[in-house]
Amino acid sequence: LARLRDRLARSGSPLGQKLLAVLSRDHLSEDDWDELEEVLLLADVGAGPTAELIESLRTQVRVHGIADPAVVRDMLRSELLKLVDPTLDRSLGTTGATAEDGSATPAVVLVVGVNGTGKTTTVGKLARVLVAEGSSVVLGAADTFRAAAADQLETWGSRVGVPTVRSDRDGADPAAVAFDAVRRGRRENSDVVLVDTAGRLQNKAGLMDELGKISRVITKEAPLTEVLLVLDATTGQNGLNQARVFGEVAGVTGIVLTKLDGTAKGGIVVAVQRELGVPVKLVGLGEGPDDLAPFDPEAFVDGLLG
Ligand code: GDP
């Protein structure tokens, strides 16, 4: 967590600096409030939440006759924290279920999202975390659209020391690969099966078909434990539109926000949780194997404020 805070702080937190500039004035003028609003919008907090936050702050300032910007800053911190919502359950489901015949099934985590957002990398990092915690893991390379994707996943698999189930030909049926991966996990009494998928967004109906088929086929072997949507934090509003589509087609249970190391626009956390009604559970903080962390609301808001 200290690391998350450091990273966010080191990313320069222009938001924090700008807020500091506004809030170090003696008295908040109309222009200052506008500037505050602008800073939050620039950080991708979103129009609705920003308006609510400013309104709430202004009311508190008026009602309590607060003039000290340092107090406003503390109020801002607690309002931001409320928006991020520390009460949400952010634990990752890694416990399997019991099949009808009484045998145990592995936890199945389906990882979805647009190509390039960091799905494969996230699956690799997550496998590493799970293995370090003592879990046995199987990877499923259901992104059969690009052979390179399966190679990349396999590289992560061998680095971490877990098997990767894949197809040798391009364009193989992703649902079949996902099924094989879950079957193998079940046969080998694995704890968790992580399934990487392709994310072509050109065609919503096609995506819906593909993800729908993958989850239907998987659930013949074991129930889905988690559907994690991977979103690139640097893509702003565009990422939000993607989230909307996946939210509609994939029954998302949690969000992984990647590339937070490359942006000060962390406000997207607020926007995307609102949009999908599910929590951000994990964050990507770099390309390396250790750069995945549980999302911590307090550390996050502190980092945002700099
Ligand atoms: P996929 O197409 O969704 O599977 O995306 P990849 O896993 O191949 O990742 C795309 C690129 O983003 C790669 O170059 C990754 O190293 C990079 N990447 C993934 N996660 C992060 C992150 O948290 N931070 C940074 N800086 N880069 C990341």
Side-chain angles (χ1 to χ4, degrees):
L1 297 188
R3 200 161 63 95
L4 172 61
R5 203 167 306 155
D6 280 0
R7 287 281 184 88
L8 290 172
R10 249 189 293 134
S11 68
S13 185
L15 173 66
Q17 280 161 20
K18 283 191 205 145
L19 287 175
L20 206 63
V22 177
L23 295 176
S24 56
R25 293 163 199 163
D26 295 339
H27 170 79
L28 292 178
S29 69
E30 216 37 58
D31 282 352
D32 292 337
W33 283 109
D34 285 349
E35 209 175 319
L36 206 55
E37 183 166 0
E38 197 176 314
V39 171
L40 293 171
L41 288 173
L42 282 174
D44 279 340
V45 172
T50 297
E52 283 168 34
L53 190 152
I54 295 285
E55 175 61 29
S56 162
L57 275 187
R58 291 195 74 152
T59 305
Q60 294 177 59
V61 165
R62 196 172 52 238
V63 169
H64 303 294
I66 296 161
D68 183 354
V71 178
V72 179
R73 186 186 183 283
D74 287 346
M75 281 164 37
L76 175 63
R77 182 185 184 281
S78 82
E79 289 293 323
L80 276 173
L81 197 57
K82 253 194 259 167
L83 285 178
V84 174
D85 197 351
T87 67
L88 295 175
D89 178 10
R90 296 192 154 83
S91 60
L92 193 68
T94 50
T95 313
T98 307
E100 275 175 22
D101 64 5
S103 65
T105 62
V108 181
V109 179
L110 190 64
V111 180
V112 304
V114 173
N115 289 335
T117 52
K119 279 188 307 293
T120 307
T121 309
T122 298
V123 170
K125 291 172 182 172
L126 190 53
R128 187 176 155 97
V129 171
L130 292 170
V131 166
E133 286 173 0
S135 297
S136 53
V137 177
V138 171
L139 305 182
D143 180 353
T144 57
F145 191 62
R146 293 184 304 130
D151 293 344
Q152 193 190 336
L153 192 68
E154 207 164 27
T155 303
W156 275 102
S158 44
R159 202 194 279 179
V160 177
V162 301
T164 302
V165 174
R166 60 174 295 177
S167 164
D168 290 329
R169 44 186 194 88
D170 271 10
D173 181 2
V177 176
F179 180 80
D180 285 348
V182 176
R183 170 165 280 183
R184 174 153 178 187
R186 201 170 160 188
R187 201 174 55 225
E188 296 182 358
N189 276 325
S190 305
D191 298 309
V192 186
V193 180
L194 301 175
V195 180
D196 189 19
T197 63
R200 284 160 288 149
L201 248 197
Q202 296 88 320
N203 177 343
K204 184 170 154 190
L207 181 77
M208 199 178 303
D209 280 355
E210 185 165 307
L211 290 177
K213 188 172 170 200
I214 290 176
S215 40
R216 269 197 313 281
V217 165
I218 285 179
T219 45
K220 288 185 183 154
E221 270 304 288
L224 269 178
T225 315
E226 291 268 3
V227 179
L228 295 180
L229 171 64
V230 177
L231 271 189
D232 177 340
T234 65
T235 54
Q237 193 58 44
N238 192 22
L240 213 55
N241 291 333
Q242 295 169 7
R244 207 166 286 142
V245 173
F246 279 93
E248 284 167 26
V249 306
V252 174
T253 59
I255 299 155
V256 183
L257 203 59
T258 58
K259 309 188 193 181
L260 260 185
D261 51 306
T263 179
K265 297 190 164 229
I268 194 77
V269 167
V270 171
V272 72
Q273 286 188 164
R274 281 222 174 179
E275 183 64 42
L276 295 188
V278 297
V280 172
K281 293 190 168 181
L282 299 166
V283 290
L285 299 166
E287 299 189 77
D290 293 324
D291 295 328
L292 184 74
F295 177 68
D296 180 89
E298 303 248 358
F300 176 77
V301 168
D302 286 340
L304 207 58
L305 290 174

